[in-house]
Amino acid sequence: MPSLADTKIYSWTAPTPGGTGTMTVAARLSNRYDGIATDLGMTAHADASGVTAQMVKANQAVKEGLLMKMRINYRKGNKYFGADIYVPTNKVSDAIQKLHGKAWDGTGRITSCRDRIRADFR
């Protein structure tokens, strides 16, 4: 988990759980989202004073269906890394199509993006 200094509040418009409208939601996420926030329909805020949205924690937003956890692979220098990211549920297909080649973690570039849906066969 990044330190508080390395995070920003990102807000986005999400479909309401009943599916009848939209609502504005915000969560504190890593500064690394700066390179991909506009592609995901997110707006960055330096502090909470200008945010007029329902604040949720990222894991709670996943449980409520407001965010989906996805997996990216990225290259930084000549090394490859992987990371989990949170994507608004209505932007998942956009993320898969648009995030390739975008900036991540400073000088890094995203090489692939996929969803994290897994079946539990226990």
Side-chain angles (χ1 to χ4, degrees), residues 12 24 32 42 61 67 72 109:
W12 67 96
T24 305
R32 296 192 224 182
M42 296 175 149
L67 288 176
I72 61 167
R109 293 282 169 207

Side-chain angles (χ1 to χ4, degrees), residues 10-87:
Y10 292 89
S11 63
W12 67 96
T13 302
T16 55
T20 57
T22 60
M23 59 191 257
T24 305
V25 185
R28 185 172 290 280
L29 301 170
S30 168
N31 282 345
R32 296 192 224 182
Y33 283 81
D34 283 347
I36 63 173
T38 55
D39 294 308
L40 300 178
M42 296 175 149
T43 305
H45 306 276
D47 58 28
S49 63
V51 179
T52 56
Q54 178 184 349
M55 288 290 294
V56 293
K57 292 184 178 181
N59 286 334
Q60 185 65 31
V62 170
K63 289 178 187 175
E64 294 178 9
L66 302 170
L67 288 176
M68 182 175 174
K69 192 180 264 193
M70 298 186 77
R71 182 77 177 172
I72 61 167
N73 293 316
Y74 66 99
R75 180 178 45 82
K76 191 170 182 181
N78 59 356
K79 295 184 179 180
Y80 288 86
F81 304 93
D84 289 334
I85 63 170
Y86 296 101
V87 176

